[in-house]
Amino acid sequence: MIQAQKGTKDILPQEVENWQRMEAAANKVFSKANFKEIRTPIFEATELFARGVGDSTDIVNKEMYTFEKSERSLTLRPENTAGVVRAYIEHGFSRLPQPVKLWYKGPMFRYERPQAGRQRQFHQVGVEMFGSAEPAADAEVINLAVKYLNELGLNDLEIEINSLGCSECRKNYRNAIKDVLKPYLKDLCEDCNFRYEKNPLRILDCKVDSCKKIFEKEEIQKVILGDFICPDCKEHFEKVKEYLTALNIPYTVNKLLVRGLDYYNRTVFEIKSNNLGSQNAVCGGGRYDSLVETLGGPQTPAVGWAMGMERLNSLIEKPASDRLDVFVVSENPKETFKIIDELREAGYSAEFDYANRKFKKQLDKAAKTAKYALILMEDEINSNTVTLKNLDTSEQINVSRQEYLSKIKI
Ligand code: ATP
Ligand code: MG
């Protein structure tokens, strides 16, 4: 038997309501802030991710689904920021009034070891805001993430932020980190040794316990907690924090927060939920002021985030059992079709027995699936009425065809 691939999952009808809720909430919350939805292709040129996500990242090094077609190397998107930036450049969005504010949702693909909260095909919803270098833009997108989570009933959140500084201040920080870590290289994991050359800040992102232990050493902590960011970056960060406070968004500064992608500068942030297990990050994002240029566009500041929808799904309340509003019980298919249309047009969910079985069988089915049985037998048809049976209370009323709709109380 052919089965779904490891790390992929069917979203079954009984689960789909939650997904529709997550999608509808995104549309609602982001539209109110005038963010517009964009849908980019599932596959792109491999080079887009190599350049856009960064070739020192786990994503590009280990996790991409890459294949050849007509001698072109293509990759299933592991994230959507690179694709959105490509579209921004390709469609000349830099000529539009700035900022350009976009959001997306959809499947992403990463070849990782599947575990709870970690799949190979998973979904993200995210926002990207182009053309504003202001700290208010950082605060706006963080606020949107929080409002989106609130809309889904999630309030128990931990928001961590950090500033990576600009390329200038990062250089100093990078050198200091390299110096202080040098004596410990042989004790750090293989990945950290690779990062040491390619992107030393990412060492701080390492999840290996023995590495984390090393970071606790006093001289390393001193560097980590040190003040490397330049006055401009510092002012930017202070403003972001002030705005978050004004927005009543509680946060903590986590100096170890560097995020897994290469393109971030200045503000980075993560939102965690205490209700998730070890994969407890639902949202990650930050500022990426050089990415548009890196991918061939004009210099354009930008800030955004992505949220994992599977992790979100496991946090939000499961919907109550979805019961049908009305089941029509009748032995006259033509009359049934008429009334079914009336009910559905009035906004009720309605079904009937396609096999036109006996009255008793149909009533049993109604009792199992619906809130109301609408009985439309010979008597009712002749008197131009229907009998409405409330299946919770067993109360039954006979009403005219003109007024029965108003008696249905869902
Ligand atoms: P992690 O540290 O959990 O691997 P990440 O830094 O790779 O996360 P991002 O690339 O920032 O994550 O993606 C943003 C969000 O997408 C994550 O916070 C998470 O909720 C979700 N996510 C990332 N990878 C997966 C995956 N393989 N399966 C399910 N959700 C994922
Ligand atoms: Mg990851």
Side-chain angles (χ1 to χ4, degrees):
M1 190 179 53
I2 300 172
Q3 294 184 326
Q5 291 301 293
K6 199 173 157 193
T8 72
K9 273 200 182 128
D10 296 309
I11 298 172
L12 298 172
Q14 64 265 30
E15 298 158 330
V16 100
E17 197 171 314
N18 257 3
W19 287 83
Q20 289 167 342
R21 255 180 74 203
M22 289 190 277
E23 291 162 7
N27 201 3
K28 181 174 161 193
V29 173
F30 307 149
S31 308
K32 281 199 274 188
N34 203 20
F35 280 65
K36 308 280 187 205
E37 186 178 357
I38 182 166
R39 301 185 186 194
T40 67
I42 301 284
F43 63 86
E44 301 266 5
T46 302
E47 196 194 343
L48 174 70
F49 304 114
R51 284 208 290 172
V53 178
D55 50 19
S56 74
T57 60
D58 286 353
I59 293 183
V60 171
N61 279 307
K62 309 182 200 159
E63 299 176 357
M64 295 213 294
Y65 280 91
T66 297
F67 53 100
E68 292 264 327
K69 215 70 191 162
S70 309
E71 291 173 28
R72 280 193 63 76
S73 176
L74 304 171
T75 291
L76 300 182
R77 63 183 189 193
E79 55 98 60
N80 211 351
T81 301
V84 171
V85 170
R86 182 206 40 73
Y88 177 92
I89 299 167
E90 189 168 334
H91 301 287
F93 280 9
S94 60
R95 292 193 294 274
L96 299 176
Q98 306 290 305
V100 169
K101 303 190 287 185
L102 304 169
W103 72 274
Y104 61 79
K105 60 171 170 11
M108 310 295 155
F109 305 84
R110 296 184 194 178
Y111 189 71
E112 323 199 49
R113 199 166 61 79
Q115 49 190 294
R118 197 174 287 290
Q119 293 176 199
R120 291 180 172 172
Q121 174 172 344
F122 62 102
H123 297 75
Q124 286 183 334
V125 55
V127 308
E128 315 288 0
M129 179 166 171
F130 296 94
S132 173
E134 299 299 326
D138 309 39
E140 168 81 323
V141 299
I142 295 173
N143 187 29
L144 273 188
V146 171
K147 288 296 170 327
Y148 176 60
L149 291 165
N150 291 346
E151 175 74 21
L152 291 169
L154 301 175
N155 302 297
D156 183 16
L157 307 166
E158 267 183 45
I159 299 147
E160 294 189 345
I161 61 171
N162 191 19
S163 175
L164 301 175
C166 55
S167 55
E168 276 310 302
C169 31
R170 256 211 287 183
K171 227 181 266 163
N172 298 334
Y173 189 36
R174 194 162 41 226
N175 291 338
I177 290 278
K178 279 186 89 162
D179 287 347
V180 75
L181 286 177
K182 197 162 192 170
Y184 299 101
L185 266 182
K186 55 181 187 323
D187 306 317
L188 290 171
C189 73
E190 200 181 315
D191 281 347
C192 281
N193 272 273
F194 173 76
R195 292 173 190 137
Y196 188 83
E197 296 306 330
K198 284 267 191 181
N199 188 352
L201 288 195
R202 290 231 27 242
I203 293 179
L204 304 179
D205 200 37
C206 187
K207 304 284 186 313
V208 176
D209 282 337
S210 54
C211 293
K212 285 203 219 162
K213 261 231 133 60
I214 293 175
F215 306 152
E216 284 165 17
K217 293 197 183 292
E218 205 183 316
E219 74 263 34
I220 299 178
Q221 280 294 313
K222 226 165 113 191
V223 175
I224 291 169
L225 299 175
D227 231 352
F228 275 93
I229 59 177
C230 67
D232 280 356
C233 288
K234 195 168 190 158
E235 193 191 323
H236 184 98
F237 195 41
E238 290 307 316
K239 279 265 160 56
V240 174
K241 290 191 283 186
E242 269 172 40
Y243 294 155
L244 292 181
T245 305
L247 282 161
N248 267 330
I249 296 175
Y251 62 84
T252 50
V253 174
N254 174 1
K255 292 244 184 182
L256 284 176
L257 186 65
V258 290
R259 307 278 311 123
L261 311 182
D262 280 357
Y263 50 60
Y264 290 115
N265 66 293
R266 290 199 163 168
T267 319
V268 287
F269 56 91
E270 241 169 47
I271 304 181
K272 294 183 176 152
S273 165
N274 295 322
N275 305 353
L276 286 172
S278 54
Q279 313 307 327
N280 64 350
V282 268
C283 176
R287 184 162 271 292
Y288 51 97
D289 293 338
S290 54
L291 185 59
V292 178
E293 209 175 1
T294 302
L295 292 176
Q299 207 288 315
T300 309
V303 57
W305 52 255
M307 243 183 239
M309 295 177 79
E310 276 74 12
R311 293 185 200 175
L312 210 50
N313 181 38
S314 68
L315 287 173
I316 63 181
E317 252 171 58
K318 299 289 164 260
S321 73
D322 61 332
R323 194 160 58 147
L324 191 69
D325 295 334
V326 184
F327 193 95
V328 176
V329 175
S330 173
E331 288 172 4
N332 184 325
K334 284 186 195 152
E335 288 298 323
T336 300
F337 269 120
K338 268 191 230 159
I339 210 138
I340 277 280
D341 267 357
E342 276 176 23
L343 284 162
R344 290 175 185 170
E345 257 167 51
Y348 299 108
S349 57
E351 279 190 319
F352 63 100
D353 183 29
Y354 301 108
N356 202 19
R357 286 172 300 182
K358 291 275 168 275
F359 176 81
K360 175 80 178 53
K361 280 239 154 65
Q362 291 192 28
L363 200 58
D364 283 350
K365 172 92 180 181
K368 282 199 193 101
T369 55
K371 164 110 193 243
Y372 286 96
L374 186 151
I375 299 163
L376 189 62
M377 301 298 285
E378 267 331 289
D379 280 356
E380 283 88 3
I381 292 169
N382 291 336
S383 59
N384 205 26
T385 62
V386 303
T387 299
L388 257 186
K389 180 171 185 182
N390 181 326
L391 295 161
D392 290 335
T393 60
S394 293
E395 199 184 319
Q396 198 163 308
I397 49 170
N398 186 257
V399 272
S400 76
R401 285 285 285 265
Q402 280 74 44
E403 55 171 358
Y404 77 97
L405 283 172
S406 66
K407 305 287 179 201
I408 301 172
K409 304 270 184 273
I410 297 300

